Amino acid sequence: MIRVVIANQRGGVGKTTCAVNYAWYLAGKGNRTLLIDTDSQGSISVMLNLKPRNFFNQFLIHKFHLDECTVKVTDKLDVLCGNKDTIQAESAMAGAVVRELALKIMMEPYESRYDAVVIDVAPSINLLQSCAMVYARNVVIPVDMDLLSLNGANAAYDMMRLLNDLIKANIRAIGLMPCQVDQRLSVTALVQQSLQKMSEMFDVPILPAIRTDQTVNKAFRARKALLDFDPNSKAAQDYLAAFAQITAMIEASDGQTQTANV
Ligand SMILES: Nc1ncnc2c1ncn2[C@@H]1O[C@H](COP(=O)(O)OP(=O)(O)OP(=O)(O)O)[C@@H](O)[C@H]1O
Ligand SMILES: [Mg+2]
């Protein structure tokens, strides 16, 4: 099973675009896929023009059945949307024992229904991000061509390491994904150099880059996933290459884990 969280503490780097399109990609390959929005901005419902009856908060805190909270987008793709009530979920969980396990525990009864779960998180260090990392154990870190985005990537990586040290969560970074890449801008080369250093220091690969492409914004205005709106666009083609690699890496590591558990 593929479980992955798309994280970077910096805002606007392309987390939600990546999460929505990776979920779309996996569903398109025939995987029963669940896309979860743990961000109180509720961007996924806006991006895909969804009108859920219930949201992430009702699922996690009020223990509603998952079916009462998800929206079926395609035959293979369900979405659990976030909204501003997610802020209440954070505070409701604050004092709970083993709170980092909350999402893992809530998802357990539904595991057999899905082949893939993709999780989008907020651009901040918060408890829900930890819950998402502990549950998914695979983290993709999008980095846009802005130096602060590298700080955000660092913060996501530190959080992973902390959870691994403190609760043996066994989380790993699948890769750093350069996003909104425009080679004409001088800052791009600078960020790419720093990204290379970060990749070597953390021993985390750099994934195929996603070029800046206005089709991403057009797809957003049309309230569609980019891969649905224009699969031949530059950014869509880049995403396809990156997603193939992410999937292969997660499947390879799952195989190793299974062998190790035999
Ligand atoms: N490859 C691209 N080319 C052009 N624009 C892009 C590209 N990728 C993302 N964008 C645009 O960048 C903006 C931020 O993207 P997105 O919402 O995916 O980032 P985010 O990291 O989820 O943001 P937040 O931290 O606020 O949740 C959006 O307007 C999106 O359309
Ligand atoms: Mg987002």
Side-chain angles (χ1 to χ4, degrees), residues 65-173:
H65 193 281
L66 185 60
D67 288 348
E68 293 180 81
C69 305
T70 52
V71 183
K72 195 165 248 333
V73 175
T74 68
D75 182 33
K76 297 283 184 193
L77 177 60
D78 292 346
V79 183
L80 176 56
C81 293
N83 69 350
K84 57 182 176 10
D85 295 348
T86 302
I87 295 166
Q88 293 167 21
E90 271 288 329
S91 44
M93 281 162 58
V97 187
V98 291
R99 52 202 185 155
E100 284 80 11
L101 296 181
L103 185 60
K104 186 172 191 282
I105 291 167
M106 284 304 290
M107 282 304 296
E108 243 152 38
Y110 306 102
E111 287 280 277
S112 59
R113 295 166 163 233
Y114 293 105
D115 305 308
V117 179
V118 180
I119 309 176
D120 185 25
V121 297
S124 55
I125 295 177
N126 63 24
L127 182 52
L128 289 173
Q129 182 192 270
S130 301
C131 287
M133 285 182 173
V134 168
Y135 168 63
R137 298 204 291 112
N138 296 299
V139 183
V140 167
I141 307 177
V143 178
D144 75 357
M145 295 300 106
D146 171 307
L147 288 167
L148 290 174
S149 176
L150 295 168
N151 292 350
N154 241 315
Y157 190 79
D158 283 349
M159 179 52 70
M160 265 179 45
R161 271 211 309 223
L162 189 66
L163 290 165
N164 284 346
D165 287 348
L166 290 180
I167 59 168
K168 308 278 172 283
N170 204 13
I171 304 162
R172 65 171 201 141

Side-chain angles (χ1 to χ4, degrees), residues 12 14-17 37 39 41 43 47 120-123:
K15 294 181 289 294
T16 305
T17 308
D37 185 1
D39 184 358
Q41 295 180 94
S43 310
M47 208 176 256
D120 185 25
V121 297

Side-chain angles (χ1 to χ4, degrees), residues 6 14-23 118 140 142 177 239 243 246:
I6 316 296
K15 294 181 289 294
T16 305
T17 308
C18 175
V20 165
N21 283 287
Y22 189 39
V118 180
V140 167
M177 182 196 261
Y239 271 124
F243 293 160
I246 292 169

